[in-house]
Amino acid sequence: MNTRNVSLPRRGFLLGLTAAGASLGLAGCGFKLREAPVFAFKSLSVSGNSAMINQIRRELRATGSVTVLPPEDASKADVILEILGEDRNRIVISTNSAGLVRELQLQLKVRFRLRTPAGKDLLTAGDVSQTRDLSFNETNALAKEGEADLLFRDMQSDIAQQLMRRLAAVKEI
């Protein structure tokens, strides 16, 4: 009975030492949680109206440090983000012996550029792309269509976050 009472506090002490050691190890390696991006501009205009552009606007508003202006007020903005193109592709990767699709690759590619209202390029035209693989089954075609839509939304969110990091990399206007 006496050994049970002694071992429980000892285990707690050892667990505490282990947790403290792990946190000190992470602190020493330079690990730091990702912070909200800091932008060199206070206002931005994005033209267009698609699901991708709306996602970018939401991400910018969520930072709290950038005012997103409508396209008609682009001349008043510090910078203008132009979405030059958005491509969604489905590529057949593999088929079975009967020629039916077994696996697809979903691709989402966004071409963009960042400039000032005066026309100075801050970020020249560049691409951000994402791909996902999707197994396909003809008997569950409707479910696989829904899964493809979810994967496209996930890729869209990833691309919007990558764009935020690229915009934050601009240090001066």
Side-chain angles (χ1 to χ4, degrees):
M1 191 180 235
N2 214 2
T3 58
R4 285 186 193 169
N5 291 337
V6 172
S7 65
L8 286 177
R10 187 178 296 163
R11 284 185 198 157
F13 177 72
L14 289 175
L15 285 173
L17 280 178
T18 305
S23 64
L24 286 175
L26 283 177
C29 74
F31 175 78
K32 187 167 115 178
L33 291 174
R34 185 177 294 160
E35 297 175 350
V38 177
F39 299 105
F41 46 86
K42 298 295 178 205
S43 62
L44 177 134
S45 176
V46 184
S47 61
N49 191 17
S50 70
M52 182 74 228
I53 292 171
N54 291 334
Q55 179 73 31
I56 293 168
R57 285 185 181 125
R58 277 192 298 276
E59 292 282 338
L60 284 164
R61 285 187 186 110
T63 64
S65 61
V66 176
T67 304
V68 181
L69 299 175
E72 50 273 4
D73 293 338
S75 61
K76 297 176 187 173
D78 293 338
V79 294
I80 299 169
L81 177 64
E82 294 177 337
I83 303 299
L84 305 172
E86 182 180 336
D87 297 325
R88 291 175 182 245
N89 296 317
R90 293 172 189 237
I91 299 168
V92 176
I93 295 177
S94 65
T95 58
N96 63 11
S97 60
L100 299 173
V101 176
R102 284 285 154 225
E103 192 172 6
L104 293 170
Q105 185 178 58
L106 306 176
Q107 295 178 340
L108 180 59
K109 181 179 174 182
V110 175
R111 189 161 179 75
F112 70 97
R113 128 182 148 164
L114 185 70
R115 65 177 179 85
T116 63
K120 177 185 173 191
D121 278 344
L122 300 173
L123 290 175
T124 59
D127 297 332
V128 180
S129 63
Q130 289 278 314
T131 60
R132 300 284 192 277
D133 291 337
L134 174 68
S135 63
F136 192 78
N137 186 349
E138 297 80 23
T139 58
N140 297 329
L142 190 57
K144 288 298 178 177
E145 207 47 48
E147 185 178 352
D149 289 341
L150 286 173
L151 287 172
F152 272 122
R153 273 186 264 166
D154 182 50
M155 288 188 288
Q156 188 175 292
S157 177
D158 285 350
I159 286 176
Q161 290 173 7
Q162 285 182 32
L163 272 173
M164 293 305 107
R165 289 190 289 276
R166 290 196 185 186
L167 294 175
V170 175
K171 296 300 178 197
E172 64 180 47
I173 299 177

